[in-house]
Amino acid sequence: MDIFEAIKKRYSCRAYQDKPVEEEKLNAILNAARLAPSARNFQDWRFVVVTDANTRKSLVPACNNQAFIGQAPIVLACCSTTQYLMRCSQPAGPIDVAIAMEHIALAATSLGLATCWVGSFYPDQIRNILQIPTHIGVIELMTLGCPADQPNEPKRLALDQIVCRERWTF
Ligand SMILES: Cc1cc2nc3c(=O)[nH]c(=O)nc-3n(C[C@H](O)[C@H](O)[C@H](O)COP(=O)(O)O)c2cc1C
């Protein structure tokens, strides 16, 4: 699948088949994250791969009771280890993690799997369940598995609503 096809096919999957993800596919997906760009090549991303059914269930209340988090065969807790601010005053860690996560989402799509970003969670509860130390930022979670639902037509702003040329004209 080429990159544009993967971008078009990716969607937020909120229903998963009760079927594990092959280890080979999981490794290929995690390797796609490893190859992402990062500020100063710090690679400030760390991933906790959660497959244990009981642990996944315990994540549901920590994720605002989003039931699909317990249903997905894999939940990734995507973390950063620093509070490093770039010269532009933006934090590098969450940006690095987000880029790597989208590599994961697109790689998963190209392998026939599906994902959903999860930002609605209580970081302290996630830390507690997964024994993540307090100095580590839990940036986002992501579910991963074989889809059991269908994508909706994506609703997006038109290009001319988000792009201007040469100067700010919005
Ligand atoms: C940073 C971020 C956090 C998100 N958090 C959640 C979430 O907690 N629960 C959820 O169901 N979807 C979540 N989403 C998915 C968005 O709702 C979804 O990407 C958006 O509605 C566009 O739909 P699509 O991904 O199917 O194209 C999140 C997406 C992003 C990028």
Side-chain angles (χ1 to χ4, degrees):
M1 187 182 295
D2 87 4
I3 187 72
F4 285 101
E5 200 182 339
I7 288 168
K8 273 192 189 142
K9 283 204 166 144
R10 185 219 56 84
Y11 72 100
S12 292
C13 174
R14 298 183 180 93
Y16 293 89
Q17 295 172 38
D18 185 14
K19 189 169 130 183
V21 171
E22 294 99 313
E23 202 58 31
E24 203 177 68
K25 285 189 177 176
L26 175 61
N27 277 336
I29 289 165
L30 293 171
N31 205 42
R34 193 176 69 83
L35 295 174
S38 62
R40 299 177 77 180
N41 201 25
F42 276 165
Q43 304 163 66
D44 187 15
W45 44 58
R46 298 293 183 271
F47 303 96
V48 183
V49 179
V50 182
T51 53
D52 179 79
N54 290 327
T55 311
R56 286 187 285 113
K57 276 201 192 90
S58 70
L59 291 172
V60 173
C63 294
N64 229 356
N65 291 318
Q66 300 184 84
F68 70 91
I69 285 141
Q71 201 201 13
I74 296 178
V75 181
L76 300 169
C78 307
C79 303
S80 89
T81 63
T82 73
Q83 311 252 319
Y84 171 68
L85 288 185
M86 295 179 285
R87 183 100 43 208
C88 61
S89 30
Q90 299 298 329
I95 293 175
D96 289 356
V97 171
I99 297 166
M101 287 179 70
E102 196 55 14
H103 275 210
I104 288 173
L106 294 175
T109 304
S110 80
L111 294 174
L113 299 170
T115 57
C116 189
W117 284 74
V118 177
S120 181
F121 63 85
Y122 303 102
D124 288 345
Q125 293 183 28
I126 302 290
R127 274 198 199 91
N128 195 28
I129 295 164
L130 302 181
Q131 296 170 33
I132 299 171
T134 46
H135 67 279
I136 299 298
V138 184
I139 306 300
E140 290 282 332
L141 306 186
M142 183 168 267
T143 51
L144 170 66
C146 298
D149 62 3
Q150 294 291 326
N152 293 318
E153 194 57 36
K155 291 186 194 127
R156 294 295 191 268
L157 299 171
L159 259 192
D160 62 5
Q161 292 176 287
I162 60 166
V163 180
C164 60
R165 301 282 178 117
E166 313 303 346
R167 63 190 173 84
W168 184 272
T169 53
F170 294 114

